[in-house]
Amino acid sequence: MAVMVFVNLTSEYIYKGEYSAIASWVIVLLFLFGTVFFINARHYLSKK
């Protein structure tokens, strides 16, 4: 979650919104990766 906020703030304040579309896709991919990681951890921990 912190990385997603960092990408968004970097896109807006450092690059002045020029790469906002790329940053949006990066945020979506980070969200999907985090969701897969959460599901995998939940499945792994429920086996124990």
Side-chain angles (χ1 to χ4, degrees), residues 6-31:
F6 177 74
V7 168
N8 193 17
L9 291 176
T10 302
S11 169
E12 291 301 319
Y13 290 109
I14 294 178
Y15 297 117
K16 307 291 187 219
E18 293 180 19
Y19 300 105
S20 62
I22 296 172
S24 296
W25 278 109
V26 169
I27 290 171
V28 167
L29 291 175
L30 286 171
F31 176 78

Side-chain angles (χ1 to χ4, degrees), residues 25-41:
W25 278 109
V26 169
I27 290 171
V28 167
L29 291 175
L30 286 171
F31 176 78
L32 292 175
F33 177 73
T35 302
V36 168
F37 183 78
F38 175 76
I39 291 170
N40 189 25

Side-chain angles (χ1 to χ4, degrees), residues 37-48:
F37 183 78
F38 175 76
I39 291 170
N40 189 25
R42 187 173 176 185
H43 178 71
Y44 176 75
L45 292 175
S46 69
K47 283 184 170 181
K48 287 186 172 185

